[in-house]
Amino acid sequence: MDPGYRSPLIDLFRRGEVERDIRLLAARGALAPRAHEQLALLVLLSDDPDSDVRDATAATLAALPEAPLRAFLARTDVPGEILAFFAGRGITPSEPASEAYAEPLLDTLPDLPEAGDEKDEDGRNRLLSSLSITDRMKLAMKGTREQRATLIRDTNRIVATAVLTSPKLTEAEVEAFAKMANVSEDVLRIIGTNRTWLKNYAVALALTKNAKTPPGISMQLLHRLNEKDMKRISIDRNVPEVLRLAARRLAVKQAK
């Protein structure tokens, strides 16, 4: 069932790109950084093809604390599909609406795995790469800034996506990710379609200058650059030629 809620993490589940063990973890309520995503995942997984996933989802739904759930459903930003799903289960909104949303309604995330000495980057990287996808996802959402800086480069799409859904993520980290030449295009695309992050000029500039940013995104960001940065892009041999030429044309217009 479609929950009517969109986020990079939810979209991976919607497209069927998530392995069974990760779906099971989500069905148990353990892979939701925020209440919106937790409820959306439970609605989505309630009719999963795998019976174990469905059973785990049903158990988690039954364990949700009713009063906080009703108060959360009273929020104006809860999709109608989620409201209809819980109404079918006899659970309706109850005022006053909850102001809490940055945490899941039911936190079942197991203890975080050991991931090495934070001061030893090489050792940390080796240890993180040796962990299972499930453990890497846990750290992506609830781990440290240093762990997120490593896991954003993970070759598994869902791990890197989980980093971008972490409640601990800061705009300074997003800006650093946007500058990275060794992250996937998917990561840059997610950043480049997030309106909140793009309000930060430094993030928009970093994406535009990153040669790995999909041209469709960097071209749209060009008009946001100031004259000085536009001129720099127009002579930057590291960006795609189509972007450089477009920047040159805009720089000429700005100079008139």
Side-chain angles (χ1 to χ4, degrees):
M1 177 178 177
D2 193 318
Y5 181 79
R6 297 290 178 269
S7 79
L9 185 64
I10 297 297
D11 288 344
L12 287 179
F13 279 83
R14 287 179 60 250
R15 294 195 295 266
E17 298 175 5
V18 181
E19 297 176 1
R20 180 180 182 273
D21 58 338
I22 301 298
R23 300 203 317 277
L24 267 173
L25 200 61
R28 293 169 184 148
L31 283 189
R34 300 174 183 82
H36 285 92
E37 283 163 321
Q38 184 169 64
L39 296 188
L41 282 172
L42 292 173
V43 171
L44 187 62
L45 295 172
S46 64
D47 59 359
D48 192 271
D50 189 293
S51 61
D52 289 339
V53 174
R54 293 197 305 274
D55 290 346
T57 302
T60 303
L61 286 167
L64 290 173
E66 186 169 331
L69 173 59
R70 288 181 182 274
F72 186 80
L73 293 177
R75 291 176 58 93
T76 58
D77 56 359
V78 176
E81 290 88 341
I82 291 180
L83 292 174
F85 175 85
F86 283 100
R89 299 172 61 88
I91 301 175
T92 54
S94 176
E95 298 288 349
S98 172
E99 295 182 2
Y101 66 92
E103 296 292 335
L105 291 171
L106 181 67
D107 192 353
T108 63
L109 184 68
D111 292 338
L112 296 180
E114 292 293 330
D117 184 357
E118 292 293 339
K119 296 179 182 179
D120 180 2
E121 183 176 357
D122 291 338
R124 182 176 63 245
N125 292 351
R126 286 194 299 270
L127 219 165
L128 286 174
S129 65
S130 71
L131 295 176
S132 67
I133 292 176
T134 300
D135 281 343
R136 299 203 305 275
M137 284 200 67
K138 294 174 190 174
L139 290 171
M141 291 187 297
K142 295 292 183 77
T144 65
R145 181 188 184 107
E146 291 78 11
Q147 289 164 347
R148 290 193 293 277
T150 297
L151 293 171
I152 194 67
R153 304 190 297 268
D154 200 284
T155 55
N156 189 292
R157 294 174 64 193
I158 193 168
V159 175
T161 299
V163 170
L164 296 175
T165 64
S166 171
K168 296 183 176 183
L169 188 66
T170 66
E171 282 198 357
E173 288 178 85
V174 174
E175 180 186 345
F177 298 160
K179 293 177 179 178
M180 290 182 176
N182 54 353
V183 295
S184 70
E185 284 191 11
D186 285 332
V187 166
L188 298 174
R189 184 176 289 108
I190 291 170
I191 295 173
T193 53
N194 185 299
R195 293 181 180 179
T196 300
W197 292 337
L198 290 181
K199 290 177 182 177
N200 184 324
Y201 182 84
V203 172
L205 176 61
L207 283 174
T208 309
K209 293 171 64 176
N210 194 326
K212 288 193 68 175
T213 300
I217 290 176
S218 53
M219 291 285 285
Q220 292 178 12
L221 295 174
L222 266 183
H223 74 281
R224 295 191 49 192
L225 303 188
N226 60 40
E227 184 177 354
K228 180 176 67 175
D229 289 325
M230 185 75 72
K231 288 181 178 178
R232 288 174 177 171
I233 294 290
S234 71
I235 58 174
D236 188 345
R237 294 290 178 179
N238 293 318
V239 302
E241 183 178 7
V242 63
L243 181 66
R244 190 169 63 252
L245 293 175
R248 191 174 301 166
R249 288 193 296 269
L250 286 172
V252 170
K253 287 183 180 180
Q254 288 178 350
K256 291 181 179 180

